[in-house]
Amino acid sequence: MASATEDPVLERYFKGHKAAITSLDLSPNGKQLATASWDTFLMLWNFKPHARAYRYVGHKDVVTSVQFSPHGNLLASASRDRTVRLWIPDKRGKFSEFKAHTAPVRSVDFSADGQFLATASEDKSIKVWSMYRQRFLYSLYRHTHWVRCAKFSPDGRLIVSCSEDKTIKIWDTTNKQCVNNFSDSVGFANFVDFNPSGTCIASAGSDQTVKVWDVRVNKLLQHYQVHSGGVNCISFHPSGNYLVTASSDGTLKILDLLEGRLIYTLQGHTGPVFTVSFSKGGELFASGGADTQVLLWRTNFDELHCKGLNKRNLKRLHFDSPPHLLDIYPRTPHPHEEKVETVEINPKLEVIDLQISTPPVVDILSFDSTTTTETSGRTLPDKGEEACGYFLNPSLMSPECSPTTTKKKTEDMSDLPSESQRSIPLAVTDALEHIMEQLNVLTQTVSILEQRLTLTEDKLKDCLENQQKLFSAVQQKS
């Protein structure tokens, strides 16, 4: 096992996307990596030697976000085509499509138990979906500009969101209300997330800052100014003690949150870095950006203590629990300038036998799907029926049902399921899609009518004011 003081090392490159990498996520078992890109594709990379990579074709515009479900048997993706998709990450690539947002979708996030999915959009809303029923549940509206990111707390009781309206909001998932609001006068947050114990949130700022807030006492704890470009993404190490950041200045930075200082600057990308994520165990992290490359790093630092800390973190998921040493205790907010003793790592300056992975890519075109809209729900399947027809659900899997078993079941099914296999018949799905289109037209019509009504009211007001002036003038003359 590596010592706790070893530096992070670049292990592998993955090349296959034809445009910038927007988002990535490592699978819960640490054996796969999913990436999303401006090239409109999702890619699934296997860490086994000589393994094929899968490219999922389907989104009609930039894919903005991707995440594995907690069980690892589903992939959620968001796109500028206004849809959210759930994919089965295998060679068949069957998917279910969610349509409810009226503008590009910017992020997807599963709750820790896999029961819910939160999506954030440029339509200024956050929407929450039930994975059990494969249906839309509710929307959260309070932001006044595009919502860039929404994340569940580890216990699922809260959602944190950030928007270009320069606010970060905390929502209660029980009463669907905004319970807290952090404002910033300088820039807006590109990305936000809870720490593993759920006591703090960290934000990646367009103003080049990284901020850590305590959500229990509503206080800014730490304020880092270590990047020379906007910060696009952050990821907490599972111990909660470290934070990795990705920036448009082309670097990754690793912050020691307990000591409140920058400890590593990682070079490797040749352009803005848009996304970074630790693996579930913390032993790896991956990054991607404008150079179309995906870099896989071995963490090395803090490996010795990580597993024990993870277990202790899991026991503490509520705000009313007594504090322990893993908490980042409130301290005076302080700007943090880069220190001389930080370590800079540039793998390109070292002679290393790097594994550069350009595996054979298999294109997966999936034409069969189920579509869920905001106005349509699904009924629960019968006991003898597969969950939601042929589309397997993470929350319906029994603990003993492994992803391998799921994969076998999926591959045994036919490529094009018949009407009887679908939870919603094709004709009904088409009808619902048509209804959604008509509702969109109706919404636009109502919006136009409202604008015209406002103009009419303004003109009427002007007429009344002019009439009043004329009346006053006539009275004065007489």
Side-chain angles (χ1 to χ4, degrees), residues 192-239:
V192 69
D193 201 3
F194 281 93
N195 70 339
S197 61
T199 58
C200 300
I201 56 168
S203 64
S206 62
D207 59 353
Q208 308 177 7
T209 65
V210 176
K211 294 178 180 178
V212 181
W213 312 77
D214 189 319
V215 295
R216 299 163 299 180
V217 292
N218 305 333
K219 188 176 181 180
L220 177 64
L221 301 183
Q222 296 177 337
H223 180 185
Y224 297 91
Q225 293 175 312
V226 293
H227 283 290
S228 58
V231 189
N232 298 312
C233 190
I234 52 164
S235 181
F236 278 99
H237 186 274
S239 66

Side-chain angles (χ1 to χ4, degrees), residues 316-331:
R316 188 179 187 286
L317 293 177
H318 299 285
F319 298 145
D320 49 5
S321 303
H324 60 61
L325 293 175
L326 290 180
D327 287 338
I328 303 167
Y329 286 104
R331 58 181 80 178

